Amino acid sequence: MRLTAIFLSLAILAISCATSAQQPPDAQATVWIAPAPDQQPLRLERVDIRIDVDGFIARTSVDINFHNPNARVLEGEFVFPLAAGQTVAGYALEIDGQARLREGVVVPKETARVAFEDITRQSVDPGLAELTKGNVFRTRLYPIPANGNKRIRLTIEQVLDDAGDHYRYLMPLAFRQPVGTFTLHALAPLSAAKPTDLAASSSASLQFDSSGNLWQAKLARSNIQPQRELAFRIPKASNPVTVIEAADLVDPRWRSVVAQIDTGRADGSARAAKPRRIAIFFDASGSASARDLARERKVLGAYLASLGKVDVQLIAFRDSADAVRRFSLKDGNAIPLLDALKSLPLDGGSSYGAIDVSKIGAVDRVLVI
C-alpha cells in the first residue's frame, strides 16, 4: 500500500487513532502495538535532537528511527508527550522504505475529512497526526516493514519561559524503551552569557561552548533510556530580542511577526484610572466571518459597561479604514455601538497598515479587535 502523510489540524485528528480498543500510555514516548503471540517489541535504533534558539523562540527537531525485528509488517501508534506551550510545527514520515522523508501538511477540518476519505478509497494509506488532551502528539505508523526500519521527524516550536534575567527551555524526554544511539545538539546566540544545564536527560550534563557566533552543546550516548526532562537556562542579552520576523516560504514578500510586548505596568502597581476616551479599530475583513463575533461583542459590552460613561471612536478597517464613527455611552449602555458592529459588512482583506492612531486625537486607550 502506498502512504501519504497528512498533518491535520486539531479538530479533525480524533479519526487517526489505532482501531484497537486498548490505548497506549501518554506519559512516555513510545510506539504502541497491539499485543500478539511471539511478537518482539520495536527497537528504538536512533534518536537525534536538534534545538535552535532564536531570541525568545526555540525550534526543536526530533528525528526518531524505529526497527521492527519481526518477520511481518506491523501497525503501531507513536506517542510523544510535549511540554506546556509546545506545539508541533512540522511532521515528516518515511515513505515506502525510502531514505527521504515526506512532509505532512496542515489542512482545515473539513478539507482533512474529505482528503482522508478520498485517499483511503484510492488504496493509499494516509499518515494522520493528532494532538490529544494533555498536549500529547500521536500518529499512526503503517506500514512498519518486516525486519526493517521506520523513521519519523517532529518539529516542535515554543515561546521560551521568561524568568526575568533569563529564558528557560524545557522538554520532557521520557522514553518507554532504551535508545540505541541518542544524540543532542543545542544552539543559542552568543550575544548572551553561556547557557547552563538544569536537568540533564542522560547520564551527563549538557555543556555549552562558544563556536563562531553561537553557543552550542553536543551530546552523544549509546544504549541509554532518557527518563528526565531536558532543561537549560539561557541568560538574556543586555538588549534582548523582542521581535522576530520570518518570510513566508511560498511568497517571501509576506512576513510573519512574533513580538514580546511590555504592558507598561509593573507587577503589583496601582490599577490605572478608568479610561474616558477610547478608540476601537475593528477588523471587518471577509475573514472576520470565521471569528466568534457574538462573543467578541459580549466581551466588549461587558468591558464598556464597567466603565460607565465613556466616549468611543469606532474605526472599521479592511483594505483601508472607514470614517470614524463616534458614540457617547452613558451608564455603561453600549447597545448603540454593539449594534453598529453587528451591522458592519464583512468583506475585503485585512490591512493593518490601515490602523492610523494619528487620526483619532487624544484618547486614553486604543483597542484593536
Side-chain angles (χ1 to χ4, degrees):
M1 215 181 219
R2 291 181 298 134
L3 188 145
T4 297
I6 307 177
F7 179 41
L8 303 181
S9 55
L10 180 62
I12 188 63
L13 294 176
I15 62 176
S16 69
C17 293
T19 56
S20 170
Q22 199 169 352
Q23 293 298 316
D26 289 346
Q28 296 174 307
T30 188
V31 175
W32 185 88
I33 295 176
D38 302 322
Q39 179 175 285
Q40 300 181 63
L42 288 187
R43 294 201 299 264
L44 268 175
E45 293 280 287
R46 187 176 185 92
V47 174
D48 298 306
I49 298 176
R50 178 186 169 102
I51 304 164
D52 290 280
V53 175
D54 182 7
F56 55 91
I57 301 290
R59 170 171 283 216
T60 303
S61 172
V62 182
D63 199 313
I64 303 179
N65 198 314
F66 308 95
H67 178 72
N68 176 13
N70 299 281
R72 64 185 184 89
V73 173
L74 295 178
E75 175 182 347
E77 186 177 18
F78 174 59
V79 178
F80 194 88
L82 303 176
Q86 289 183 328
T87 184
V88 175
Y91 158 55
L93 193 62
E94 187 178 45
I95 305 299
D96 296 332
Q98 302 174 13
R100 68 183 180 88
L101 296 173
R102 180 171 296 179
E103 296 287 346
V105 295
V106 179
V107 294
K109 175 181 176 179
E110 291 307 319
T111 304
R113 194 182 303 279
V114 172
F116 176 80
E117 294 171 354
D118 287 348
I119 291 171
T120 303
R121 280 196 296 268
Q122 297 169 25
S123 296
V124 177
D125 194 53
L128 301 177
E130 66 173 336
L131 281 175
T132 62
K133 185 177 180 181
N135 207 23
V136 176
F137 175 86
R138 297 171 182 261
T139 187
R140 176 172 172 262
L141 294 182
Y142 181 84
I144 307 174
N147 298 310
N149 292 346
K150 192 73 171 181
R151 183 180 166 209
I152 184 173
R153 184 180 65 216
L154 299 181
T155 301
I156 301 166
E157 291 186 347
Q158 66 194 96
V159 175
L160 296 170
D161 288 339
D162 191 338
D165 62 349
H166 67 274
Y167 294 114
R168 186 170 184 264
Y169 175 92
L170 186 146
M171 186 174 76
L173 273 185
F175 285 83
R176 193 168 180 81
Q177 58 252 76
V179 178
T181 301
F182 177 89
T183 69
L184 174 66
H185 190 191
L187 301 167
L190 193 63
S191 57
K194 179 188 291 191
T196 54
D197 178 74
L198 293 176
S201 62
S202 63
S203 58
S205 55
L206 204 57
Q207 299 293 332
F208 283 85
D209 296 299
S210 60
S211 176
N213 62 345
L214 294 170
W215 292 111
Q216 68 170 333
K218 292 185 177 181
L219 191 65
R221 295 290 183 270
S222 298
N223 299 316
I224 68 167
Q225 188 173 354
Q227 287 296 299
R228 293 189 293 171
E229 65 186 18
L230 170 65
F232 55 87
R233 178 188 293 114
I234 308 164
K236 288 185 181 179
S238 56
N239 186 24
V241 173
T242 57
V243 178
I244 297 174
E245 179 180 300
D248 185 85
L249 295 177
V250 178
D251 187 349
R253 294 174 300 174
W254 287 87
R255 296 287 190 272
S256 296
V257 176
V258 180
Q260 284 187 321
I261 301 174
D262 188 346
T263 63
R265 195 178 97 190
D267 292 341
S269 62
R271 185 173 296 276
K274 291 182 179 181
R276 294 305 176 200
R277 295 168 297 181
I278 292 178
I280 299 175
F281 289 89
F282 188 87
D283 181 353
S285 62
S287 61
S289 59
R291 304 193 329 241
D292 191 342
L293 297 175
R295 188 177 183 209
E296 289 181 10
R297 292 192 297 270
K298 184 177 180 180
V299 172
L300 180 61
Y303 169 66
L304 294 174
S306 72
L307 301 180
K309 182 180 179 180
V310 61
D311 292 327
V312 180
Q313 297 182 57
L314 173 63
I315 307 97
F317 70 94
R318 303 169 187 82
D319 303 282
S320 59
D322 291 354
V324 177
R325 300 174 67 178
R326 302 178 188 277
F327 300 84
S328 292
L329 308 182
K330 298 179 180 180
D331 300 323
N333 180 13
I335 292 177
L337 172 64
L338 300 179
D339 287 344
L341 289 174
K342 190 173 182 179
S343 65
L344 284 172
L346 306 178
D347 53 34
S350 300
S351 175
Y352 293 97
I355 300 175
D356 187 353
V357 296
S358 67
K359 295 183 178 180
I360 59 177
V363 295
D364 303 315
R365 188 159 299 169
V366 176
L367 305 179
V368 179
I369 304 176

